[in-house]
Structure formats: C-alpha cells, structure tokens
Amino acid sequence: MKGSEEDAGLAGKVALVSGGGAAGDGIGNGRAAAILLARAGVKVLVADRDLGLAERTVAMITAEGGVAAAHAGDVTSEADCGRLVDAAVDRWGRLDFLDNNVGIGSRGSVVDEKPEEYRRVMQVNVESMFLLSKYAIPAMIKTAKGGAIVNISSISALRPRGLTTYTTSKAAVIGLTQAMAVDHGRDNIRVNCICPGPMYTPMVYARGMSEAARSQRANASVLKTEGTGWDVGHAVKFLLSNHARYITGQVLVVDGGVTLQGPERDSRDH
C-alpha cells in the first residue's frame, strides 16, 4: 500500500509552534516539530521569546526548502499570544495547528517552594497554553473550519516523583487538554497531549550532564536509551495529521517505557 505526506492532510496547512527555538543547532521538542511539519508541507510560524533562536529554526527549515517565519513573543503575555496568532493568519491566511511547547522546571517541595515561584511555573507551563489556545481556536474556526492542538506535558504528571510545582503544572496540562477537547470537538478541533520521558534536549544538556547521568536516564527506560526532540516532534506531527483524525483528548506517552519501570530517581526534569 502506497502512502504519502498528502495522505496525512498536512501539506498547505499552517502551524504555530511555540518554544520553537533551541540553543545553537540543538534539537529541542519545538524545533524538531517545526522542522518535521515543514518537511510535510506545513507553513510554520516559529515563536520564541528569543527571536534569534526562532530565526535559527527558520533558517534550518528554509535550507531544506520549507516555508517558515520567526516571531518573538512571550507566551505568558496575552497581548503577545494574540499577536502571534495574528501573525500566522496575516501571513498565510489561515491557522490549522498549534503546538504548545513552552515550559520551565522546578524542584522544590510544597514546603520549600516559594509562592511566587509556584505562580511563575503555573503561568509559564499552563497559563501560556490557555492563552495561546484562547486566540488560536477562534482563528482555526474562522479560517480553517477546524484544526488540531498538541500540548506538551511530562511523565511526571503520570508518575509523580516530587518536584511538586512542576508536577502539578504538568498534571494541569493534561486536564486542560481534555477539557478543551470536550469543549471544542463541536468546532472540529482536536486537542491532545504528549508526555515525554527523559529526552536529551538542549534545555537538559545546557545545564551540564555527566555520562553517568545520561546512562542512568537511558537505563530508566525499557529500551535502555534516551529519547530526543525528534521523538517528540514525530509524535506532534502524527497527532496533528489526518492519521489521528479520530483521536482527541488523549495522552500519548513518549518515554521508551520509563513509566513501565519501578520508581525512577533521576532528579532531572522530564
């Protein structure tokens, strides 16, 4: 049976990818998704707080013949979220997809965490997805008569290991995803969530990581290997495509089987 990118219903569509930059030429979840979507014929608005990082992603896409544009934006700002959605629609006349990637870590317990840090993590990890979706959904309905959204959570939401504020925020992303799926199914908008495991991405290795720590992370999975941003990016592409046309409100775990194992004690963020 012959398959093609056209079968996936991606070519000619428009996507907004938040957190689409990454340090240097590194491949984070957002950059991987942006590149893979562009390879499938999607026009991609790459958004990042650091315009230079978004521009590097766009350069990588255009070098392969893809179509993309970079925009700076702070997704904790309602005004910026509105501007990002408008930028995609103004440039290409429609918006079909939203990939919500932005997130930060936190390590404190409920006793140790400062209230202001709790509020900041919830703002970045949850409210940003709320705000971008708030503006993206009406644009999808108006310009494309539907669409699809993917939110990035974490396996920490499924198997808590401390990190109270981070875990709480990522669990909230799952709840947000499922509620949005119910609210907007009638609008022909699918909303799904990905829970990545220990991915070797610039956000992780920029803080420094020993080979021993990498080995520990790899051994936490039943496949005995680390994941990469490409693994998450391929999952995003699938969930946005027509191949997932009957999937909504679901949590796709991309972790190499980490959650099938016993408690994993690596303190680094997933």
Side-chain angles (χ1 to χ4, degrees), residues 26-54:
I27 300 297
N29 298 336
R31 177 172 284 171
I35 292 172
L36 292 169
L37 289 170
R39 288 176 181 172
V42 178
K43 300 175 180 70
V44 185
L45 188 88
V46 181
D48 201 282
R49 188 172 59 178
D50 186 325
L51 181 61
L53 300 184

Side-chain angles (χ1 to χ4, degrees), residues 32-158:
I35 292 172
L36 292 169
L37 289 170
R39 288 176 181 172
V42 178
K43 300 175 180 70
V44 185
L45 188 88
V46 181
D48 201 282
R49 188 172 59 178
D50 186 325
L51 181 61
L53 300 184
E55 289 175 333
R56 180 58 192 141
T57 301
V58 169
M60 296 168 81
I61 289 171
T62 56
E64 297 183 353
V67 178
H71 276 263
D74 178 355
V75 292
T76 66
S77 161
E78 182 175 356
D80 277 13
C81 288
R83 282 192 286 267
L84 289 172
V85 170
D86 287 345
V89 174
D90 290 346
R91 178 176 287 267
W92 292 303
R94 62 189 295 147
L95 182 65
D96 302 89
F97 308 130
L98 171 62
D99 178 23
N100 276 314
N101 286 283
V102 175
I104 58 176
S106 179
R107 301 184 184 280
S109 70
V110 71
V111 174
D112 300 327
E113 195 78 271
K114 295 179 180 179
E116 57 268 27
E117 179 63 16
Y118 172 86
R119 288 189 289 268
R120 177 60 178 167
V121 172
M122 296 299 289
Q123 180 185 37
V124 174
N125 291 6
V126 187
E127 188 176 331
S128 67
M129 297 186 184
F130 166 85
L131 290 174
L132 267 179
S133 300
K134 182 178 183 65
Y135 286 92
I137 288 171
M140 290 176 183
I141 296 169
K142 181 178 179 180
T143 67
K145 295 182 171 56
I149 298 172
V150 174
N151 299 322
I152 304 300
S153 178
S154 167
I155 60 170
S156 290
L158 305 176

Side-chain angles (χ1 to χ4, degrees), residues 1 5-6 11 48 75 81 98 111 122 135 142 169 176 187 201 206 238 245 247:
M1 181 179 294
E5 291 291 2
E6 286 74 18
D48 201 282
V75 292
C81 288
L98 171 62
V111 174
M122 296 299 289
Y135 286 92
K142 181 178 179 180
S169 71
L176 176 67
D187 299 316
T201 64
F238 165 70
R245 60 172 292 275
I247 301 173

